[in-house]
Amino acid sequence: MSTEPPTISRGDAPSASGTLVADAAADNGVTGIVPAGLSPRLYNKDLAPTSRVGRRWRSYNIFTLWANDVHSLGNYAFAIGLFALGLGGWQILTALVLGGVFLFLLLNLSGFMGEKTGVPFPVMSRISFGIRGAQIPAVIRGGVAIAWFGIQTYLASVVLRILLVALFPSAADLDTNRFLGLSTLGWIAFVSLWVIQVIIVSYGMEMIRKYEAFAGPVILITMVALAIWMLSKSDWSIAWSTPDSKTGADMWLHIIGGASLWVAIYGTFVLNFCDFTRNAASRKSIVRGNFWGIPLNMLLFGGIVIVLAGAQFKINGTTIESPSDIVKTVPNTFLLVLACLALLILTVAVNLMANFVAPIYALSNLFPRYLDFRRAGLVAAVIGLIILPWNLYNSPAVINYFLGGLGALLGPLFGIVMADYWLVKRSRIDVPALFSEAADGAYHYWNGVNLRAIAALVPTAAIALVMAFVPAFEVVSEFSWFIGAGLGAIVYLVMADRRGPFAEVSGEEISVASTH
């Protein structure tokens, strides 16, 4: 039985037909028809809630998001690093399962918000930060994502360079010069992958759904095959630990710390998971997709990590850093090409879901009258190119202080948004009011900014930054995301205005097709 409160029907809710806004921006096809009473500065067809009828993201689509993202090269590098730090097979599995259980719960909370309201993260942020204050969390999330979009595209281009040289040995001659930090071959590889991703995104979320559905099985089959191949090279046995394995309290501290870091890796994605679940057919599809894609898929992921790292350690006593290290050693050119193609498919899939969608909605939220999904995608991609991301990746200061600093803010943001939605407003949301600039609107607060949310964010963000960068707090740095999220939620709950009443008004009357 559903425990959700009944939806209130409001007599002055805008009609589905809407009215044509007498504004030059309305004629450019971005804002288009704006329902009566709503603002073209807050509403366009990409920010509008999605209609429940016709939603196509089902359990399999949610699962394939994780089938791709969990098996990303960055995650393999992180998990293999646990092996190098002294955790054995069962300890790594324990850390991953603990992290998976936490993620399963957090992603369901975040995902349900998108399924119910049908709006993307920047619009969802208006609930707690106000119709204008929402730009703060949206820009922070989008800024982190744009930088990582460029960096991940660069890392994929390195794999493509290996592939091109394997197919065309003479191409190695193009890899000896440098222009703005990349060789000619490097530029060819980077721009090629950049164009492919821009083309996919230009067809909208429906094309991303189809690509993720295609890529998921490819990645799973490839990683399992790679693990079996490594097993055969190590005579079908592996090293389950290194000579420096942790024991006792130190071991458990690293296990729990590994689980916490695993959640922190997804700190960006749990924040804007609603960007995808706004197209979900039901809550059940989210729960099933998350269950198969997170805790169970992480068990498979952990098994592959243990086999890859343990087999390599048994063979020569060294620890690999990433599956790409193994791919380079594949002696057969045909198999090398297939493995490289699979890694490219994987990296593009991860980049689309984790680093491309968020800045698109953030930019569209900043300029709704001028940037639709396709235009915002192009702008995000151009920014990701002109920042020369390979130079960012090679700069520890940028990675640690700039991107690390922005990442540290995501915990408090998550805590504030979740506490406001679930505990203060108890999921009673007036969806049309999210697009209204009326002074008496539910989310207008003070000139469009909820000062209570800002007041909760500032001190908790400062604490999160201190934990991330001050060496004295290194012992708790692994738990900084949880601490930041918990403090953000607690401080906001102390400050929040609980008076209500909080009306629940459906967004169906102003909704658009989820396949727009």
Side-chain angles (χ1 to χ4, degrees):
M1 180 179 294
S2 173
T3 58
E4 294 183 7
T7 298
I8 298 173
S9 178
R10 189 171 65 179
D12 61 349
S15 65
S17 59
T19 60
L20 187 61
V21 174
D23 189 298
D27 297 328
N28 65 13
V30 175
T31 303
I33 304 297
V34 177
L38 305 191
S39 170
R41 286 185 286 270
L42 299 174
Y43 180 100
N44 68 22
K45 65 181 184 295
D46 295 299
L47 300 176
T50 55
S51 302
R52 287 195 168 274
V53 176
R55 292 185 181 180
R56 297 186 179 181
W57 287 69
R58 304 190 182 277
S59 300
Y60 176 75
N61 302 113
I62 302 296
F63 163 74
T64 54
L65 286 180
W66 308 125
N68 293 312
D69 197 66
V70 167
H71 292 270
S72 72
L73 296 182
N75 285 350
Y76 273 103
F78 164 74
I80 291 171
L82 296 178
F83 186 86
L85 287 175
L87 293 185
W90 74 266
Q91 292 102 325
I92 292 175
L93 285 178
T94 301
L96 293 178
V97 169
L98 284 175
V101 170
F102 280 126
L103 277 174
F104 175 71
L105 297 174
L106 295 175
L107 286 166
N108 282 339
L109 287 176
S110 180
F112 290 167
M113 294 163 61
E115 184 273 338
K116 179 172 183 176
T117 62
V119 299
F121 173 68
V123 177
M124 190 75 69
S125 299
R126 296 173 188 174
I127 297 170
S128 49
F129 283 85
I131 56 174
R132 295 188 179 89
Q135 302 292 4
I136 295 173
V139 168
I140 291 174
R141 175 65 183 99
V144 173
I146 286 179
W148 281 112
F149 161 75
I151 290 171
Q152 290 289 349
T153 301
Y154 162 67
L155 294 177
S157 73
V158 174
V159 177
L160 182 54
R161 284 159 60 188
I162 296 172
L163 172 60
L164 291 174
V165 171
L167 290 174
F168 312 103
S170 61
D173 296 336
L174 301 174
D175 210 18
T176 56
N177 63 327
R178 283 292 180 272
F179 175 70
L180 295 178
L182 276 188
S183 66
T184 300
L185 185 62
W187 275 103
I188 292 172
F190 182 89
V191 172
S192 298
L193 291 172
W194 184 89
V195 169
I196 289 171
Q197 292 175 93
V198 170
I199 291 174
I200 292 173
V201 164
S202 70
Y203 287 93
M205 288 295 289
E206 180 64 8
M207 181 58 74
I208 293 176
R209 180 185 72 86
K210 292 178 179 178
Y211 183 85
E212 300 291 334
F214 151 75
V218 172
I219 301 314
L220 292 176
I221 293 170
T222 300
M223 291 304 180
V224 170
L226 201 60
I228 293 174
W229 182 65
M230 283 298 292
L231 268 178
S232 68
K233 285 184 62 178
S234 61
D235 296 325
W236 304 101
S237 64
I238 63 172
W240 282 87
S241 61
T242 67
D244 301 322
S245 293
K246 305 289 183 183
T247 58
D250 190 32
M251 175 193 72
W252 282 106
L253 183 64
H254 276 77
I255 288 175
I256 298 173
S260 179
L261 284 174
W262 188 249
V263 176
I265 288 173
Y266 284 85
T268 54
F269 205 71
V270 294
L271 201 58
N272 72 299
F273 188 35
C274 57
D275 288 345
F276 300 88
T277 58
R278 65 192 294 243
N279 300 300
S282 65
R283 282 191 174 190
K284 186 180 294 185
S285 64
I286 296 172
V287 173
R288 287 177 176 173
N290 283 343
F291 178 72
W292 287 98
I294 297 295
L296 292 187
N297 186 33
M298 282 185 179
L299 279 175
L300 174 63
F301 168 81
I304 294 173
V305 166
I306 292 166
V307 170
L308 294 180
Q312 186 66 47
F313 195 83
K314 182 189 175 185
I315 291 170
N316 58 14
T318 62
T319 303
I320 61 171
E321 295 182 359
S322 168
S324 57
D325 295 338
I326 294 175
V327 170
K328 295 177 184 177
T329 67
V330 175
N332 183 288
T333 301
F334 177 72
L335 294 178
L336 173 64
V337 169
L338 289 181
C340 286
L341 284 174
L343 293 184
L344 289 173
I345 291 170
L346 165 64
T347 305
V348 169
V350 173
N351 223 14
L352 290 173
M353 62 178 285
N355 300 318
F356 214 164
V357 172
I360 288 174
Y361 282 127
L363 287 167
S364 185
N365 190 56
L366 277 171
F367 309 104
R369 292 186 291 178
Y370 306 103
L371 295 180
D372 59 7
F373 196 92
R374 176 179 293 184
R375 293 178 183 179
L378 183 58
V379 171
V382 169
I383 296 173
L385 170 63
I386 63 177
I387 61 176
L388 304 180
W390 46 90
N391 292 331
L392 297 183
Y393 182 71
N394 293 324
S395 172
V398 171
I399 295 295
N400 293 331
Y401 292 103
F402 177 65
L403 294 180
L406 287 177
L409 304 180
L410 299 178
L413 283 175
F414 181 82
I416 292 169
V417 170
M418 293 294 125
D420 185 64
Y421 182 92
W422 290 107
L423 300 178
V424 175
K425 297 183 173 65
R426 298 187 181 276
S427 76
R428 293 177 172 86
I429 306 302
D430 183 343
V431 177
L434 293 170
F435 303 92
S436 171
E437 291 187 285
D440 60 348
Y443 312 107
H444 192 268
Y445 298 109
W446 181 81
N447 287 334
V449 179
N450 184 2
L451 296 180
R452 298 171 190 266
I454 302 299
L457 175 63
V458 171
T460 54
I463 293 172
L465 290 172
V466 168
M467 287 190 296
F469 298 127
V470 177
F473 292 91
E474 185 177 359
V475 67
V476 297
S477 61
E478 294 176 331
F479 310 98
S480 60
W481 189 90
F482 278 105
I483 295 172
L487 286 176
I490 292 171
V491 173
Y492 181 74
L493 287 174
V494 170
M495 295 182 170
D497 184 354
R498 301 167 177 270
R499 289 173 296 177
F502 302 114
E504 177 164 329
V505 184
S506 170
E508 282 296 306
E509 292 184 327
I510 62 168
S511 65
V512 297
S514 65
T515 56
H516 63 285

